[in-house]
Amino acid sequence: MNTRGVYQRLVRADRRDQSQAHQRIIARNGLRQVVANSLQAVGDQVVNAKTVLPWLLASLGAPMVLVGLLVPIRESGSMLPQAALAPMVQRRGRRTTVWIIGAAGQALATAALALIAATLDGQAAGVLLLAALALFSVSRSLCSLAGKDVLGRTVPEGERGQINGWSTVFSGAVAITLGLLIRLLGGDDVSTMVLAALLGAAALAWVLAAVVYRGVREPEQENPPASAVEDEGWARSAWNLLRSDAGFRRFVVARALLLVSALSPPFVVALSAATGDAGLGSLGPFVMAQGVAALVGGRPFGRWADRSSRRLMLWGAAFATLVVVLFLAVVLFIPGSRELWWIYPAVYLVLVLSHTAVRVARKTYVVDLAEGDLRTRYIAVANTAMGVLLLVAGAISGALAALGPEAALGFLAVLGVAGVVVSHSLPETGKTG
Protein backbone atom coordinates (compact mmCIF):
# COMPACT_ATOMS: atom_id res chain seq x y z
CA MET A 1 0.00 0.00 0.00
CA ASN A 2 1.36 3.45 -0.91
CA THR A 3 1.81 6.40 1.44
CA ARG A 4 -1.50 7.96 0.46
CA GLY A 5 -3.38 4.72 1.10
CA VAL A 6 -1.80 4.24 4.53
CA TYR A 7 -2.57 7.82 5.53
CA GLN A 8 -6.19 7.64 4.40
CA ARG A 9 -6.66 4.47 6.44
CA LEU A 10 -5.40 6.27 9.51
CA VAL A 11 -7.02 9.69 9.01
CA ARG A 12 -10.65 10.18 8.07
CA ALA A 13 -11.51 13.42 6.26
CA ASP A 14 -13.59 14.96 3.48
CA ARG A 15 -11.14 15.09 0.56
CA ARG A 16 -13.51 16.12 -2.24
CA ASP A 17 -11.75 19.48 -2.64
CA GLN A 18 -8.24 17.92 -2.75
CA SER A 19 -6.55 16.80 -5.95
CA GLN A 20 -4.72 13.47 -5.93
CA ALA A 21 -1.36 15.26 -6.09
CA HIS A 22 -2.34 17.39 -3.08
CA GLN A 23 -3.51 14.29 -1.21
CA ARG A 24 -0.12 12.64 -1.75
CA ILE A 25 1.70 15.68 -0.36
CA ILE A 26 -0.58 15.82 2.70
CA ALA A 27 -0.17 12.07 3.26
CA ARG A 28 3.62 12.28 3.12
CA ASN A 29 3.73 15.21 5.52
CA GLY A 30 1.10 13.76 7.85
CA LEU A 31 2.73 10.34 8.18
CA ARG A 32 6.16 11.82 8.81
CA GLN A 33 4.73 13.97 11.59
CA VAL A 34 2.95 10.96 13.11
CA VAL A 35 6.19 8.96 13.14
CA ALA A 36 8.38 11.83 14.40
CA ASN A 37 5.90 12.82 17.13
CA SER A 38 5.54 9.17 18.14
CA LEU A 39 9.31 8.80 18.51
CA GLN A 40 9.38 12.00 20.56
CA ALA A 41 6.55 10.71 22.74
CA VAL A 42 8.46 7.46 23.23
CA GLY A 43 11.33 9.45 24.68
CA ASP A 44 8.91 11.40 26.84
CA GLN A 45 7.81 8.19 28.53
CA VAL A 46 11.38 7.75 29.79
CA VAL A 47 12.24 11.40 30.57
CA ASN A 48 9.14 11.69 32.74
CA ALA A 49 9.32 14.14 35.63
CA LYS A 50 6.32 12.53 37.34
CA THR A 51 7.49 8.91 37.40
CA VAL A 52 10.92 7.89 36.07
CA LEU A 53 13.05 10.90 37.07
CA PRO A 54 11.93 10.90 40.75
CA TRP A 55 12.92 7.22 40.89
CA LEU A 56 16.27 8.07 39.33
CA LEU A 57 16.96 10.83 41.86
CA ALA A 58 16.13 8.42 44.68
CA SER A 59 18.43 5.76 43.26
CA LEU A 60 21.31 8.25 42.93
CA GLY A 61 20.95 9.31 46.56
CA ALA A 62 20.27 12.93 45.62
CA PRO A 63 18.62 15.24 48.18
CA MET A 64 14.86 14.84 48.13
CA VAL A 65 14.37 18.60 47.96
CA LEU A 66 15.43 18.34 44.31
CA VAL A 67 12.44 16.14 43.53
CA GLY A 68 10.15 19.15 44.00
CA LEU A 69 11.98 20.98 41.21
CA LEU A 70 11.52 18.28 38.56
CA VAL A 71 8.02 19.10 37.31
CA PRO A 72 8.45 22.92 37.37
CA ILE A 73 11.70 22.69 35.39
CA ARG A 74 10.29 20.15 32.94
CA GLU A 75 6.94 21.82 32.31
CA SER A 76 7.55 25.52 32.87
CA GLY A 77 10.99 25.37 31.28
CA SER A 78 9.45 24.24 28.01
CA MET A 79 6.73 26.92 28.11
CA LEU A 80 8.21 30.11 29.53
CA PRO A 81 10.72 30.85 26.72
CA GLN A 82 8.23 30.54 23.88
CA ALA A 83 7.06 34.14 23.62
CA ALA A 84 10.70 35.27 23.53
CA LEU A 85 11.58 32.62 20.93
CA ALA A 86 8.58 33.31 18.68
CA PRO A 87 10.20 36.22 16.73
CA MET A 88 13.18 33.99 15.89
CA VAL A 89 10.84 31.26 14.66
CA GLN A 90 8.78 33.74 12.63
CA ARG A 91 11.90 34.96 10.82
CA ARG A 92 12.41 31.49 9.38
CA GLY A 93 10.60 30.53 6.21
CA ARG A 94 11.13 26.83 7.03
CA ARG A 95 9.89 26.01 10.52
CA THR A 96 10.85 22.31 10.33
CA THR A 97 14.47 23.38 10.90
CA VAL A 98 13.50 24.78 14.30
CA TRP A 99 11.84 21.49 15.25
CA ILE A 100 14.94 19.51 14.23
CA ILE A 101 17.17 21.78 16.36
CA GLY A 102 14.83 21.19 19.31
CA ALA A 103 14.90 17.41 18.79
CA ALA A 104 18.71 17.45 18.66
CA GLY A 105 18.82 19.40 21.93
CA GLN A 106 16.51 16.90 23.60
CA ALA A 107 18.66 14.00 22.35
CA LEU A 108 21.80 15.66 23.77
CA ALA A 109 20.15 16.38 27.12
CA THR A 110 18.80 12.84 27.42
CA ALA A 111 22.22 11.37 26.61
CA ALA A 112 23.62 13.54 29.41
CA LEU A 113 20.98 12.15 31.78
CA ALA A 114 22.03 8.62 30.83
CA LEU A 115 25.68 9.45 31.51
CA ILE A 116 24.81 10.96 34.90
CA ALA A 117 22.76 7.88 35.84
CA ALA A 118 25.62 5.55 34.91
CA THR A 119 28.55 7.41 36.50
CA LEU A 120 27.50 9.76 39.33
CA ASP A 121 25.58 9.81 42.59
CA GLY A 122 24.67 12.09 45.47
CA GLN A 123 24.11 15.83 45.36
CA ALA A 124 26.36 16.40 42.32
CA ALA A 125 24.33 13.92 40.31
CA GLY A 126 21.09 15.61 41.35
CA VAL A 127 22.26 19.13 40.43
CA LEU A 128 23.64 18.00 37.06
CA LEU A 129 20.43 16.08 36.38
CA LEU A 130 18.40 19.26 36.88
CA ALA A 131 20.79 21.18 34.58
CA ALA A 132 20.36 18.54 31.86
CA LEU A 133 16.59 18.66 32.36
CA ALA A 134 16.67 22.46 31.91
CA LEU A 135 18.46 22.03 28.56
CA PHE A 136 15.89 19.40 27.64
CA SER A 137 13.00 21.73 28.48
CA VAL A 138 14.33 24.71 26.50
CA SER A 139 14.92 22.43 23.51
CA ARG A 140 11.41 21.09 23.88
CA SER A 141 10.02 24.62 23.70
CA LEU A 142 11.40 24.87 20.15
CA CYS A 143 9.62 21.65 19.13
CA SER A 144 6.39 22.74 20.78
CA LEU A 145 6.43 26.14 19.11
CA ALA A 146 7.46 24.98 15.64
CA GLY A 147 5.60 21.66 15.59
CA LYS A 148 2.09 23.09 15.85
CA ASP A 149 2.96 25.70 13.23
CA VAL A 150 4.25 23.06 10.80
CA LEU A 151 1.15 20.94 11.43
CA GLY A 152 -1.08 23.92 10.61
CA ARG A 153 0.90 24.65 7.43
CA THR A 154 1.01 21.10 6.08
CA VAL A 155 -2.19 19.36 7.22
CA PRO A 156 -5.71 20.80 6.66
CA GLU A 157 -8.37 21.33 9.32
CA GLY A 158 -10.34 18.21 10.10
CA GLU A 159 -7.20 16.03 10.07
CA ARG A 160 -4.91 17.66 12.65
CA GLY A 161 -6.53 16.17 15.74
CA GLN A 162 -6.17 12.68 14.28
CA ILE A 163 -2.45 13.30 13.67
CA ASN A 164 -2.07 14.14 17.36
CA GLY A 165 -4.24 11.18 18.30
CA TRP A 166 -2.26 8.57 16.33
CA SER A 167 1.02 9.89 17.73
CA THR A 168 -0.46 9.39 21.20
CA VAL A 169 -1.59 5.84 20.35
CA PHE A 170 1.83 4.72 19.14
CA SER A 171 3.60 6.24 22.13
CA GLY A 172 1.13 4.48 24.41
CA ALA A 173 2.00 1.08 22.97
CA VAL A 174 5.67 1.74 23.68
CA ALA A 175 4.88 2.98 27.21
CA ILE A 176 3.13 -0.30 28.02
CA THR A 177 6.17 -2.21 26.79
CA LEU A 178 8.43 0.08 28.83
CA GLY A 179 6.34 -0.42 31.96
CA LEU A 180 6.47 -4.21 31.57
CA LEU A 181 10.22 -4.03 31.04
CA ILE A 182 10.71 -1.94 34.19
CA ARG A 183 8.45 -4.30 36.13
CA LEU A 184 10.39 -7.37 34.97
CA LEU A 185 13.91 -5.94 35.26
CA GLY A 186 13.42 -3.72 38.26
CA GLY A 187 12.21 -6.14 40.87
CA ASP A 188 12.44 -4.70 44.35
CA ASP A 189 15.65 -2.74 43.73
CA VAL A 190 16.20 0.67 42.21
CA SER A 191 18.65 -0.05 39.38
CA THR A 192 20.44 2.99 37.98
CA MET A 193 21.94 0.99 35.12
CA VAL A 194 18.50 -0.05 33.88
CA LEU A 195 17.40 3.57 33.91
CA ALA A 196 20.63 4.67 32.21
CA ALA A 197 20.06 2.17 29.41
CA LEU A 198 16.48 3.37 28.96
CA LEU A 199 17.63 7.00 28.82
CA GLY A 200 20.22 6.09 26.18
CA ALA A 201 17.48 4.48 24.07
CA ALA A 202 15.31 7.59 24.51
CA ALA A 203 18.15 9.80 23.21
CA LEU A 204 18.32 7.60 20.10
CA ALA A 205 14.55 8.03 19.62
CA TRP A 206 14.97 11.81 19.32
CA VAL A 207 17.78 11.39 16.79
CA LEU A 208 15.52 9.18 14.66
CA ALA A 209 12.66 11.68 15.08
CA ALA A 210 14.83 14.48 13.69
CA VAL A 211 15.81 12.35 10.69
CA VAL A 212 12.15 11.55 9.91
CA TYR A 213 10.94 15.13 10.44
CA ARG A 214 13.56 16.44 8.04
CA GLY A 215 11.46 15.00 5.20
CA VAL A 216 8.38 17.14 5.97
CA ARG A 217 7.80 19.56 3.10
CA GLU A 218 6.39 22.97 3.98
CA PRO A 219 4.80 25.36 1.46
CA GLU A 220 7.31 27.61 -0.24
CA GLN A 221 7.70 30.85 1.70
CA GLU A 222 10.40 33.47 1.81
CA ASN A 223 11.87 34.47 5.12
CA PRO A 224 9.48 37.15 6.42
CA PRO A 225 10.72 40.57 7.50
CA ALA A 226 11.03 41.62 11.11
CA SER A 227 7.62 41.68 12.75
CA ALA A 228 5.86 44.15 14.97
CA VAL A 229 6.62 41.80 17.86
CA GLU A 230 10.32 42.58 17.49
CA ASP A 231 9.64 46.31 17.21
CA GLU A 232 7.76 46.56 20.51
CA GLY A 233 9.50 43.71 22.36
CA TRP A 234 8.18 40.21 22.99
CA ALA A 235 6.99 40.83 26.55
CA ARG A 236 4.92 43.91 25.66
CA SER A 237 3.61 42.21 22.54
CA ALA A 238 2.50 39.16 24.54
CA TRP A 239 0.77 41.32 27.13
CA ASN A 240 -0.99 43.38 24.45
CA LEU A 241 -2.23 40.23 22.73
CA LEU A 242 -3.68 38.85 25.97
CA ARG A 243 -5.25 42.20 26.82
CA SER A 244 -6.82 42.89 23.41
CA ASP A 245 -7.91 39.44 22.20
CA ALA A 246 -10.80 38.33 24.43
CA GLY A 247 -11.31 34.93 22.77
CA PHE A 248 -7.65 34.01 23.04
CA ARG A 249 -7.50 35.27 26.65
CA ARG A 250 -10.46 33.07 27.56
CA PHE A 251 -8.66 30.03 26.08
CA VAL A 252 -5.54 30.77 28.17
CA VAL A 253 -7.63 31.08 31.33
CA ALA A 254 -9.48 27.85 30.56
CA ARG A 255 -6.24 26.01 29.89
CA ALA A 256 -4.80 27.18 33.21
CA LEU A 257 -7.85 25.97 35.11
CA LEU A 258 -7.64 22.60 33.36
CA LEU A 259 -4.40 21.82 35.22
CA VAL A 260 -6.37 19.39 37.36
CA SER A 261 -5.66 16.59 34.88
CA ALA A 262 -1.95 17.46 34.64
CA LEU A 263 -1.07 18.09 38.30
CA SER A 264 -3.21 15.50 40.08
CA PRO A 265 -1.38 12.28 39.03
CA PRO A 266 1.88 12.99 40.95
CA PHE A 267 -0.07 13.32 44.19
CA VAL A 268 -1.71 9.95 43.54
CA VAL A 269 1.79 8.50 43.10
CA ALA A 270 2.87 10.22 46.33
CA LEU A 271 -0.01 8.62 48.24
CA SER A 272 0.94 5.25 46.75
CA ALA A 273 4.57 5.67 47.79
CA ALA A 274 3.46 6.45 51.34
CA THR A 275 1.72 3.08 51.62
CA GLY A 276 3.88 0.81 49.45
CA ASP A 277 7.51 0.12 48.52
CA ALA A 278 9.74 2.44 46.53
CA GLY A 279 11.52 -0.21 44.43
CA LEU A 280 11.89 0.22 40.69
CA GLY A 281 9.41 -2.62 40.11
CA SER A 282 6.60 -0.58 41.68
CA LEU A 283 7.13 2.13 39.05
CA GLY A 284 6.04 -0.28 36.30
CA PRO A 285 2.25 -0.16 36.88
CA PHE A 286 2.19 3.64 36.67
CA VAL A 287 4.21 3.70 33.44
CA MET A 288 1.93 1.00 32.01
CA ALA A 289 -1.16 2.95 33.09
CA GLN A 290 0.14 5.98 31.22
CA GLY A 291 0.67 3.83 28.14
CA VAL A 292 -2.77 2.26 28.32
CA ALA A 293 -4.35 5.71 28.53
CA ALA A 294 -2.49 6.86 25.42
CA LEU A 295 -3.21 3.65 23.52
CA VAL A 296 -6.92 3.61 24.34
CA GLY A 297 -7.59 7.34 24.11
CA GLY A 298 -5.37 8.61 21.33
CA ARG A 299 -7.40 7.61 18.26
CA PRO A 300 -10.96 8.38 19.46
CA PHE A 301 -9.86 11.60 21.14
CA GLY A 302 -8.13 12.69 17.93
CA ARG A 303 -11.33 12.22 15.94
CA TRP A 304 -13.40 13.92 18.64
CA ALA A 305 -10.98 16.87 18.63
CA ASP A 306 -11.47 17.29 14.88
CA ARG A 307 -15.23 17.46 15.45
CA SER A 308 -15.09 19.75 18.49
CA SER A 309 -11.88 20.27 20.44
CA ARG A 310 -13.77 22.62 22.79
CA ARG A 311 -16.20 19.91 23.90
CA LEU A 312 -13.39 17.39 24.32
CA MET A 313 -11.50 19.81 26.60
CA LEU A 314 -14.66 20.38 28.62
CA TRP A 315 -15.57 16.71 29.11
CA GLY A 316 -11.96 15.65 29.78
CA ALA A 317 -11.62 18.22 32.56
CA ALA A 318 -15.03 17.37 34.01
CA PHE A 319 -14.18 13.67 34.17
CA ALA A 320 -10.78 14.32 35.79
CA THR A 321 -12.41 16.53 38.42
CA LEU A 322 -15.04 13.90 39.20
CA VAL A 323 -12.38 11.20 39.55
CA VAL A 324 -10.34 13.33 41.98
CA VAL A 325 -13.42 13.99 44.12
CA LEU A 326 -14.38 10.30 44.20
CA PHE A 327 -10.81 9.25 44.97
CA LEU A 328 -10.63 11.67 47.90
CA ALA A 329 -13.97 10.42 49.21
CA VAL A 330 -12.73 6.82 49.11
CA VAL A 331 -9.35 7.35 50.81
CA LEU A 332 -10.72 9.76 53.42
CA PHE A 333 -13.93 8.01 54.43
CA ILE A 334 -13.58 4.29 53.70
CA PRO A 335 -11.42 2.51 56.30
CA GLY A 336 -8.67 0.32 54.88
CA SER A 337 -8.92 1.76 51.37
CA ARG A 338 -5.40 3.24 51.53
CA GLU A 339 -3.89 -0.24 51.81
CA LEU A 340 -5.44 -1.39 48.51
CA TRP A 341 -2.36 -1.17 46.29
CA TRP A 342 -4.33 -1.43 43.02
CA ILE A 343 -6.45 1.65 43.64
CA TYR A 344 -3.54 4.03 42.98
CA PRO A 345 -2.54 2.77 39.49
CA ALA A 346 -6.26 2.53 38.62
CA VAL A 347 -6.95 6.16 39.57
CA TYR A 348 -3.70 7.21 37.91
CA LEU A 349 -4.86 5.47 34.71
CA VAL A 350 -8.19 7.29 34.64
CA LEU A 351 -6.59 10.66 35.38
CA VAL A 352 -3.98 10.22 32.66
CA LEU A 353 -6.72 9.14 30.26
CA SER A 354 -8.56 12.38 31.04
CA HIS A 355 -5.36 14.35 30.57
CA THR A 356 -4.82 12.65 27.20
CA ALA A 357 -8.22 13.97 26.12
CA VAL A 358 -7.50 17.49 27.37
CA ARG A 359 -4.02 17.53 25.83
CA VAL A 360 -5.13 16.37 22.37
CA ALA A 361 -8.04 18.83 22.50
CA ARG A 362 -6.06 21.92 23.50
CA LYS A 363 -3.33 21.19 20.91
CA THR A 364 -5.93 20.94 18.17
CA TYR A 365 -7.89 23.95 19.43
CA VAL A 366 -4.95 26.38 19.36
CA VAL A 367 -3.80 25.20 15.91
CA ASP A 368 -7.31 25.71 14.50
CA LEU A 369 -7.79 29.04 16.27
CA ALA A 370 -5.76 31.10 13.79
CA GLU A 371 -3.58 30.95 10.67
CA GLY A 372 -0.05 32.01 9.72
CA ASP A 373 2.10 34.03 12.09
CA LEU A 374 -0.89 34.79 14.32
CA ARG A 375 -1.05 31.06 15.07
CA THR A 376 2.65 31.15 16.02
CA ARG A 377 2.00 34.08 18.36
CA TYR A 378 -1.01 32.36 19.92
CA ILE A 379 0.98 29.20 20.60
CA ALA A 380 3.98 31.08 22.00
CA VAL A 381 2.04 33.49 24.22
CA ALA A 382 -0.32 30.77 25.48
CA ASN A 383 2.56 28.52 26.46
CA THR A 384 4.56 31.31 28.11
CA ALA A 385 1.51 32.36 30.10
CA MET A 386 0.94 28.73 31.04
CA GLY A 387 4.53 28.45 32.22
CA VAL A 388 3.94 31.30 34.65
CA LEU A 389 0.54 30.00 35.78
CA LEU A 390 1.91 26.47 36.16
CA LEU A 391 4.54 27.76 38.56
CA VAL A 392 1.85 29.57 40.56
CA ALA A 393 -0.52 26.59 40.65
CA GLY A 394 2.39 24.25 41.41
CA ALA A 395 3.55 26.47 44.27
CA ILE A 396 0.06 26.61 45.79
CA SER A 397 -0.58 22.87 45.42
CA GLY A 398 2.93 22.14 46.70
CA ALA A 399 2.36 24.32 49.76
CA LEU A 400 -0.98 22.62 50.40
CA ALA A 401 0.76 19.24 50.03
CA ALA A 402 2.57 20.06 53.28
CA LEU A 403 -0.82 19.36 54.87
CA GLY A 404 -0.99 16.12 52.89
CA PRO A 405 -1.54 15.17 49.23
CA GLU A 406 -5.28 15.14 49.92
CA ALA A 407 -5.30 18.93 50.46
CA ALA A 408 -3.51 19.52 47.16
CA LEU A 409 -5.94 17.24 45.33
CA GLY A 410 -8.87 19.15 46.84
CA PHE A 411 -7.45 22.44 45.55
CA LEU A 412 -6.98 20.97 42.06
CA ALA A 413 -10.57 19.67 42.05
CA VAL A 414 -11.81 23.22 42.71
CA LEU A 415 -9.68 24.45 39.80
CA GLY A 416 -11.20 21.74 37.63
CA VAL A 417 -14.76 22.87 38.34
CA ALA A 418 -13.85 26.44 37.37
CA GLY A 419 -12.11 25.13 34.24
CA VAL A 420 -15.24 23.31 33.10
CA VAL A 421 -17.29 26.51 33.48
CA VAL A 422 -14.82 28.63 31.49
CA SER A 423 -14.32 25.94 28.79
CA HIS A 424 -18.07 25.89 28.22
CA SER A 425 -17.90 29.57 27.19
CA LEU A 426 -15.15 29.09 24.57
CA PRO A 427 -16.15 29.54 20.93
CA GLU A 428 -15.98 26.62 18.51
CA THR A 429 -13.20 26.61 15.89
CA GLY A 430 -12.69 25.26 12.41
CA LYS A 431 -15.36 23.16 10.74
CA THR A 432 -17.59 23.07 13.80
CA GLY A 433 -17.64 26.84 14.21
Side-chain angles (χ1 to χ4, degrees), residues 51-386:
T51 52
V52 175
L53 293 185
W55 250 264
L56 178 57
L57 277 179
S59 69
L60 295 175
M64 282 298 100
V65 67
L66 300 181
V67 174
L69 299 176
L70 287 172
V71 171
I73 289 176
R74 169 62 184 88
E75 300 297 337
S76 296
S78 64
M79 294 179 180
L80 282 171
Q82 291 196 24
L85 291 171
M88 180 271 290
V89 174
Q90 289 175 327
R91 284 196 300 269
R92 290 183 172 269
R94 183 172 162 80
R95 308 288 164 84
T96 51
T97 304
V98 178
W99 197 97
I100 292 168
I101 293 171
Q106 288 174 94
L108 180 62
T110 306
L113 289 172
L115 184 63
I116 292 167
T119 61
L120 298 175
D121 57 24
Q123 181 174 340
V127 172
L128 288 175
L129 186 148
L130 292 181
L133 186 60
L135 171 61
F136 177 94
S137 297
V138 173
S139 300
R140 183 50 168 268
S141 69
L142 292 173
C143 288
S144 176
L145 185 56
K148 297 182 184 69
D149 205 12
V150 172
L151 180 64
R153 285 182 170 199
T154 59
V155 176
E157 288 184 19
E159 302 180 32
R160 297 163 182 165
Q162 294 173 76
I163 295 291
N164 289 327
W166 275 113
S167 301
T168 302
V169 167
F170 294 141
S171 70
V174 174
I176 293 173
T177 305
L178 174 64
L180 288 170
L181 184 65
I182 290 175
R183 184 67 176 172
L184 292 173
L185 297 180
D188 295 326
D189 298 321
V190 180
S191 174
T192 57
M193 295 311 298
V194 170
L195 294 177
L198 292 174
L199 287 165
L204 179 60
W206 268 291
V207 173
L208 295 175
V211 172
V212 172
Y213 205 84
R214 189 172 181 273
V216 175
R217 294 290 176 258
E218 296 176 71
E220 292 294 331
Q221 181 175 334
E222 296 180 358
N223 289 354
S227 66
V229 174
E230 295 175 273
D231 294 337
E232 62 181 338
W234 67 266
R236 181 179 295 275
S237 174
W239 173 251
N240 288 339
L241 180 62
L242 283 168
R243 186 179 60 181
S244 63
D245 193 325
F248 174 65
R249 183 172 63 248
R250 192 178 300 119
F251 165 70
V252 172
V253 172
R255 184 178 168 186
L257 294 172
L258 298 182
L259 285 172
V260 58
S261 66
L263 295 182
S264 296
F267 293 110
V268 176
V269 175
L271 280 169
S272 175
T275 58
D277 65 81
L280 181 59
S282 62
L283 172 61
F286 291 102
V287 177
M288 284 186 283
Q290 193 156 315
V292 169
L295 189 65
V296 171
R299 188 180 182 188
F301 291 154
R303 289 180 177 173
W304 189 348
D306 279 332
R307 292 195 298 270
S308 175
S309 52
R310 180 191 71 87
R311 286 198 295 268
L312 181 57
M313 271 193 292
L314 191 156
W315 286 108
F319 193 61
T321 303
L322 178 62
V323 169
V324 169
V325 171
L326 292 177
F327 175 66
L328 285 174
V330 169
V331 298
L332 290 176
F333 301 113
I334 299 180
S337 59
R338 292 175 183 267
E339 281 67 47
L340 299 173
W341 70 268
W342 54 266
I343 195 173
Y344 302 101
V347 171
Y348 186 91
L349 168 62
V350 180
L351 285 175
V352 176
L353 185 64
S354 302
H355 183 58
T356 300
V358 172
R359 188 168 179 265
V360 170
R362 64 171 172 76
K363 279 185 169 185
T364 306
Y365 190 91
V366 73
V367 171
D368 289 345
L369 195 58
E371 297 292 336
D373 283 345
L374 181 58
R375 179 197 295 121
T376 308
R377 290 186 67 201
Y378 274 180
I379 293 167
V381 174
N383 284 337
T384 294
M386 277 304 302

